Amino acid sequence: MAPIQTAAEAVARIAYLSSDRVLSVQPALATDSDFSTHLHSYSASRLPGLVAKDGPEVIAVRHNVDPLLSAFQPLRAGKLVSVTTSSTILLPSIPHLYKLAQYPIVLHVSLHPCNSPDFSDITAIRQSGFIFLQSETLQESQDLALSAHALAIKSGKGIIHFFDPANSKEDRPIEPENWDLVSEILDPDSVRALQFAKHESSSLYVDDGRRATVTEAVPITTENGRSASDNTKETTQLTAEKGSSEEDSSVGSSVRESSVDSRPTISSKTSVESSITRPLTSDDIYDHVSGIWAKIAEATGRIYQPFEYTGPGDAESALFIFGSTGLFVDELAEAKSTDEFAKCGLITARLYRPWIGAQLAQSIPTSVKRLAVLEQIRRKTTKWGPVLLDIVTSLRVGPSTTGSPLIVGHQLGLIEPATVRQALRGIFQNLTSSAPVQNLEVGSHEGLRESPDHYDLVQPRVENAYMKILDQVFGERLHVANRLGASNAGISATVAATPEYGFGSLLARKEHRKRFIGEVQVAAAGRDFTTDAIQAWLSKWALSAEDPQKANIIAPDVVSRLSNDGSRLASTLLESKSLFFNESQWLIGSDAWAYDMGNSGVHHVIASGANVNMLIIDSQPWSERAVSDEARRKKDIGLYAMNFGNAYVASVAVYSSYTQVLEAMIEADQFDGPSVVVAYLPYHKEDDSPLTVLQETKKAVDLGYWPLYRWNPNKEENSEPNFSLDSERIKQELEEFLRRDNHLTQLMNRQPKFAANLSESYGTEVRALQKRKAKDAYNTMLESLYGAPVTILFASDNGNAESLAKRLGNRGKARGLKTMVMAMDDYPLEDLPTEENVVMLSSTAGQGEFPQNGRTFWDAVKDTTELDLSQVNYTVFALGDSHYWPRKEDKIYYNKPGKDLDARISFLGGKRLVDVGLGDDQDPDSYQTGYAEWEPKLWQALGVDKVEGLPEEPPPITNEDIKIQSNFLRGTIVEGLEDPSTGAISASDQQLTKFHGTYMQDDRDLRDERKAQGLEPAYSFMIRCRLNGGVATPSQWLQMDSISSSYGNETMKLTTRQTFQFHGVVKSKLKSAMRGINKALMTTIAACGDVNRNIMVSPLPTKSAFHHDVHQVSARISDHLLPATSAYHEIWLKDNDSPDEKQTKIAGDAVVDKEPLYGPTYLPRKFKITIAIPPHNDTDVYAHDVGLIAIKTARGDRLDGFNVLVGGGMGVTHNNKKTYPRTGSMLGYFPTSQIHLVCEKIMLVQRDHGDRKNRKHARLKYTIDDMGVDVFRSKVEELLGSKFEAPKPFEFKSNIDTFGWQKDEFGLNHFLMFIENGRVEDTADFPMRTGLREIAKVHKGDFRLTPNQHLCLSGVPDEDLDMIKGMLKKYKLDNLQFSALRLSSSACVAFPTCGLAMAESERYLPELITKLEGCLEENGLRQDSIVMRMTGCPNGCARPWLAEVAFVGKAYGAYNMYLGGGYHGQRLNKLYRSSIAEEEILDIMKPLLKRYALERQDGERFGDFVIRIGMIKPTKEGKTFHEDVAEEESDEE
């Protein structure tokens, strides 16, 4: 183990070993303290501790959030707690110190500021009841840190161990602590006794009466017959006579205890003994610490005393230093015999409190005649220093003071190494003078007073979001009174940032404005201006000065006229020109204000009634919520303010509802009175990514921890509700929850009564109750059955393990067994030892992890040692993929959950029925191969293998069954939508709604938390529009924008299918959203499902006539292939339920449903058509079932016909080599007039010949590979009655978008803007959605969505060009200053809404590109386009298999990397590395990009380059996609 370098490291190691919990107080969560670097390193490495065998819990706490409050709850729970902190928190924590002193807590305090530590932080709290230990050297810091923990354990009192870190920075490194010595000193038996001692108290701010005590045996009578009390009384009197009074020592209270030489003497011969409990005294503490130091001395030879004296035994002068001693020690050691201080002694306190005067007297040689006391104290509140008074009291009080040394006090300031000798000379000259000066200042005290704060106040980067919104909303009107960095003469930055200071400055500013209004009124009445018109404007302004709206309208004109006037009075008024505006005045604070609202100033602002706005940012993540530390008593400022009834209150979260934040800030500004906007911005560290903040916000808002609401007490005057709950999706849950706990009893009253915290424990209780009820219901049902009981538990992510479990349960019942089937997490674990037979089935998730519905069960099983399963028979079947993790070192992940579960149950005593079964997706029948071998063994073990007359099992329901039974896509969708008991619809309806353009999803960011709360997943629906060619009118854009706000999650997604997509639509709003889309003359039918989907067309801004021709063809094909069922109109658009209107065709009034093209079972799988216009392959024409390449006429200006490609497709299953992507095969050329029929006949051949048994083999690409291209072509030609012509020549040059302004042949302008990954939303940095909405209100052309997820603003006439350019610039939509890599990138949605996602995509790709852009800059590649794509799963929505470099999600944080795709979208890429994380991605990409910059040939694209240099081999057709990969997949296990 490496030597220890610093005192903080030595202390951190001891604290880690000696604690159950370590509170690491830090300046910021992302900024380490002296200790935290080491503590977090030990915790991350899972180093064991002595007290906590698996290592203590290390909790980072910001220094400004009352950190010592976090100590109470664990201390009362019997945990050993230590705190590592700087001295800056001590004075603000004084209210807690008096109580904490009576608990065995250890505070390790690094004295600050570093350049000149202020020891007054210690002296100011010396009477708090703590025991104080001081260390000076590196070795002492280790030994005294250990002593502090041992003393806390033995005494039961709080210890403060303090040290100056600079004092030992030049010390030589020391060896790490001796484990055996630490164990001996701490005494494990004493540790366990404390851990079992729990202390019940609910009070934080009132003394609960706890005191450290000692229990000891005392005699009742003595040998001479006198009572012990007589002896004690006599000893007390003797103590008084000796003069060793109570003032000689102290345990830190204002009433000092007896000193060490005042112990009562008791006769050794007694007749009876009894035990008494008495308060702990300084004598007891001295005994404890002496015993600890004796053990250290015996083991190491290092001796410690309460007061340390070093120097000659016959010294006549000595220094007592309470401060930094290092420089003095060195100088005294090197003193020459001629120096005044040559024979000087040095005294320091090791045990500062209790102050044991007798020990001080004993430590000083009798030869010492003069004693200089040096106190390094910045805040001097009394004439005499506290240490000087202690020493004088100890050495000069009492009758025996003859011969006591002369004591002279000195104030120690900042001393530089070069001036130490001079300082010593000055001290000794004063000490030896005939009339020494008391309190002589030594060193620079200016250095002490002007030392800057150790921690600079910096606004966390993530909090910029709210500041930017304030700037956007209020602009020049915004005034933040306590803004960081503001200049405040004579006021420190720390004070200036507080709410008290800010409130005071706002009141002063309001008074200043009142005076200014008076000055303007006087000026308006005079004639001191150069021009006469200015008086009228000033009068007009003065009349409206208190009206914010009118004053702010007039103010710019007034300022302008004053600027032009030129008079002296005008110049005087302009010096305060900001006061012409009615400012929006704000105080900005954090949740640190929530712990003590009286002390923080929040109470004063609210109670004042002043028109002041407060924005309070709460950063506590839901996952670290206060429920884990209830004793902190963090207040809900919003509810606190609502109790006053005079304040506007809003609870907002920018990462949940940007619009609501804007509304709240505007309403707060308009409210006449105090306004409190409590803003949620959860982060673990200040430099957390926006993705982390987003995920935490969603959990908190969804689960009710952070409800979004607005409270305006003035609304009741207009008979409007005061309270608006804006977190719509949980509105009903939250209201029921609050009503249950009686928190909303007076919601509409002027003074509402809310409780401060929601009860998070309720969800846990609900969950436990659900488990118990389900289990009891099963037991009731099973009582009527016969046969052996079998409990079947499953953990399943994709449904396979669940299906097997249910099928196994049914088969068991058929064999006479009493079977019960449950998800593992739904099973009450305490019942497991009572089971007779248990069967467990688990699939494998992520990197060898348990599926979602089995994790809680596994966590409990793996950690318990109390389950006795010796009477339980069990077996396990595991489902996995032996090739999923191809590298040998990763093979452990194959079926890891099942294997681990089998081993753990066996360890707990379970008896195997059958060895663990392993289902492998690589087997011929996938996991069914292994299952078919395992199940018969189970029946045999249970003795039911020879049962006869078993019923035939019905075949599983397939998608084909669902379609044919759906009555042309109706199913039970209507009934499901009307069911209010759940946010979901049935599984079969989930398949059918895809045909209607919507998928059911759930928010995967919230799954765990909602499950823990006993709630169903956060179900919502994704809606995808059908938008031919991606062209929308401005009115349609506005309607889509409105739908995203009213029904969705306030964002729109421009998809890789060139259409709109909405997320977060809850079931109750689904029908309204569908109607809204249709009201815009758009539809969603056939946007998904086993039908022809949205047809894509190149946007082609430069050739509008040609684009019009192609777009017309796409519309004809789309309409021709549209499903004919009237179910869509009936379900979503009709209100009347009469039978006559249920059978209404979308385009007419037919009364009988039929599908002339599709038939009742529609197509085997989805069917996609795209049209590319050379030289642009921006639609990835090779990637679709049908790809049409537009061919121009001989004149080159209009459409002639199409080359037809068939059989492209992107969907793949990881490690299933039977699935692969494929590029389209050329069938030939066909003229425009017949092309819709060509598409129809291709679709019909697929309808009749596609695989309907295996959906993984059902796409057209497999049909063509099975039949062969020539055979397929002939079948199409047979249906057409004509043949394909030879393909016409064409050339593709790119498949990316061309950004910027372009002009077409009609003189119209088109601007193609960059929208990263197609997400249209407003953020604090980029109000994109607002900008596009405003443009849509004035734009006369259209909006063209691109297949690469960007947007083209088309058809802008020259007369509107400047206006549109101005709007683009205003909303930052004209910014194209991005790297070419970013402009060429694309990603699918993935987490949190896509149910198929295995890894992040849309939310992560921008971060990855950012980390690569530095490398691009270094190598001159910023402007070089490289097509990079990312998807969260292998289904290929962002068409990753055609990218030059692609990342496809394998598990959370792990991706397969593919290289070698064609830049024109014409060639598939190939696997280069499997299952790599970000670090490996960057390690591969950065050198590769550098090599590409240096070695590429002229015009050589990245995908071609990696093939030429041999990094990857080209993929020539889909069937060879899995061949010759760069990283072979091993078959070894």
Side-chain angles (χ1 to χ4, degrees), residues 524 617 876 925 1084 1137 1324 1345 1397 1499:
I617 298 174
V876 176
D925 293 322
T1084 66
D1137 294 331
L1345 283 61

Side-chain angles (χ1 to χ4, degrees), residues 1404 1408 1453 1476-1486:
Y1404 172 58
L1408 178 63
I1476 59 175
E1478 180 182 277
E1479 184 178 355
E1480 295 168 275
I1481 291 172
L1482 297 176
D1483 288 345
I1484 293 169
M1485 284 299 300
K1486 288 182 177 180

Side-chain angles (χ1 to χ4, degrees), residues 1352-1368:
C1352 184
L1353 193 65
S1354 293
V1356 180
D1358 285 345
E1359 58 267 26
D1360 293 342
L1361 191 58
D1362 290 341
M1363 175 187 68
I1364 296 295
K1365 284 185 175 180
M1367 296 181 77
L1368 290 170

Side-chain angles (χ1 to χ4, degrees), residues 231 238 563-564 607 655 722 819 826 898 1158 1176 1269 1518:
N231 279 340
L238 182 63
S563 300
N564 295 329
Y655 280 87
N722 293 349
T819 60
D826 291 336
Y1158 292 102
H1176 306 286
V1269 176

Side-chain angles (χ1 to χ4, degrees), residues 587-601:
L587 291 172
I588 311 294
S590 73
D591 53 354
W593 294 4
Y595 295 103
D596 186 344
M597 282 185 265
N599 188 47
S600 69

Side-chain angles (χ1 to χ4, degrees), residues 325-639:
T325 60
L327 295 175
F328 291 102
V329 170
D330 294 340
E331 196 63 39
L332 289 173
E334 297 171 1
K336 300 175 183 177
S337 57
T338 56
D339 290 330
E340 299 97 320
F341 47 84
K343 293 186 65 177
C344 173
L346 181 66
I347 307 167
T348 54
R350 290 287 166 269
L351 179 63
Y352 174 56
R353 279 296 185 272
W355 181 275
I356 304 178
Q359 290 296 316
L360 174 63
Q362 291 176 17
S363 66
I364 302 175
T366 55
S367 57
V368 171
K369 305 300 181 187
R370 292 174 297 276
L371 180 63
V373 179
L374 278 62
E375 297 179 78
Q376 191 167 312
I377 294 174
R378 184 188 307 176
R379 288 182 292 270
K380 187 178 176 184
T381 56
T382 59
K383 179 178 181 180
W384 307 106
V387 178
L388 178 66
L389 292 176
D390 283 334
I391 293 174
V392 169
T393 301
S394 299
L395 301 182
R396 302 291 297 275
V397 174
S400 308
T401 57
T402 350
S404 295
L406 171 69
I407 303 172
V408 181
H410 298 75
Q411 298 297 315
L412 186 59
L414 177 63
I415 298 178
E416 299 293 340
T419 62
V420 179
R421 175 175 289 271
Q422 180 182 346
L424 280 171
R425 285 175 179 167
I427 292 168
F428 275 84
Q429 286 173 3
N430 182 54
L431 186 62
T432 56
S433 68
S434 57
V437 178
Q438 290 287 353
N439 288 327
L440 179 69
E441 293 189 354
V442 180
S444 170
H445 285 263
E446 290 302 313
L448 284 174
R449 294 189 188 101
E450 298 176 6
S451 177
D453 294 334
H454 178 64
Y455 302 131
D456 294 332
L457 291 172
V458 178
Q459 179 174 301
R461 179 173 55 86
V462 294
E463 292 185 5
N464 289 339
Y466 287 108
M467 294 304 300
K468 288 177 180 177
I469 293 174
L470 283 175
D471 287 330
Q472 288 172 10
V473 174
F474 302 114
E476 293 182 354
R477 290 184 53 222
L478 177 66
H479 175 74
V480 178
N482 59 340
R483 185 188 293 270
L484 291 178
S487 176
N488 298 283
I491 304 296
S492 74
T494 304
V495 172
T498 61
E500 305 99 306
Y501 177 84
F503 181 44
S505 70
L506 283 182
L507 294 179
R509 192 170 182 84
K510 287 178 181 293
E511 290 298 322
H512 184 189
R513 190 167 190 270
K514 285 182 181 178
R515 292 195 302 272
F516 180 74
I517 293 171
E519 292 169 3
V520 171
Q521 290 171 338
V522 172
R527 297 187 172 274
D528 295 327
F529 295 103
T530 305
T531 58
D532 294 334
I534 190 66
Q535 281 100 333
W537 278 99
L538 288 175
S539 298
K540 184 179 179 181
W541 177 86
L543 291 172
S544 305
E546 298 297 343
D547 185 323
Q549 191 171 2
K550 292 181 180 179
N552 292 328
I553 292 173
I554 300 170
D557 290 324
V558 174
V559 171
S560 174
R561 282 167 170 75
L562 286 172
S563 300
N564 295 329
D565 186 79
S567 65
R568 178 178 296 179
L569 180 56
S571 299
T572 302
L573 292 175
L574 285 173
E575 290 175 0
S576 302
K577 66 179 180 181
S578 64
L579 298 180
F580 280 108
F581 295 88
N582 199 303
E583 296 172 329
S584 181
Q585 298 178 333
W586 291 81
L587 291 172
I588 311 294
S590 73
D591 53 354
W593 294 4
Y595 295 103
D596 186 344
M597 282 185 265
N599 188 47
S600 69
V602 172
H603 169 84
H604 306 299
V605 174
I606 298 171
S608 72
N611 189 10
V612 175
N613 305 310
M614 282 192 291
L615 174 66
I616 300 173
I617 298 174
D618 192 308
S619 59
Q620 185 177 59
W622 156 254
S623 58
E624 296 177 3
R625 56 199 182 280
V627 70
S628 61
D629 189 4
E630 295 173 351
R632 287 181 62 79
R633 295 295 192 274
K634 181 178 175 180
K635 314 298 188 305
D636 185 323
I637 293 180
L639 297 179

Side-chain angles (χ1 to χ4, degrees), residues 219-222 224-238 264-267:
I220 302 231
T221 58
T222 63
N224 59 12
R226 296 175 62 191
S227 69
S229 58
D230 292 338
N231 279 340
T232 305
K233 181 178 180 180
E234 182 177 304
T235 306
T236 304
Q237 291 172 344
L238 182 63
T265 304
I266 300 174
S267 170

